[in-house]
Amino acid sequence: MQPDTRKLLRTGLLIFGTGAIAAALIFTSFGGIARHQGPHTNLGWLSLMLAMGCLPTGFLTLLLAAVKLIGDRRR
């Protein structure tokens, strides 16, 4: 595995993990989410925004790292 591939994997996992933790905290510690009103607390809203930014970005970074890893192994 090349160093840049390892860095992409580490970064993708860190970003995705941050989003997953933020999403879990919304439901466990920050009051949950109502169907039509959103989170109940300010920290819930901040966690929702963090999760909405980190989860897609982390997923796409992990996808890029996986494709790069497959390309590195074929060489």
Side-chain angles (χ1 to χ4, degrees):
M1 182 182 320
Q2 293 184 3
D4 55 343
T5 306
R6 182 172 288 128
K7 186 177 260 190
L8 270 174
L9 279 170
R10 190 178 314 131
T11 303
L13 284 172
L14 182 69
I15 294 171
F16 190 81
T18 301
I21 290 170
L25 283 174
I26 294 171
F27 294 105
T28 59
S29 299
F30 299 146
I33 295 179
R35 176 167 247 169
H36 296 288
Q37 296 177 346
H40 296 290
T41 63
N42 288 337
L43 284 175
W45 280 105
L46 289 173
S47 291
L48 178 65
M49 295 304 292
L50 185 67
M52 287 175 63
C54 286
L55 289 174
T57 305
F59 175 74
L60 290 174
T61 306
L62 284 174
L63 188 64
L64 175 65
V67 170
K68 185 160 177 18
L69 183 63
I70 292 169
D72 288 347
R73 294 201 180 202
R74 288 189 179 173
R75 289 185 197 173

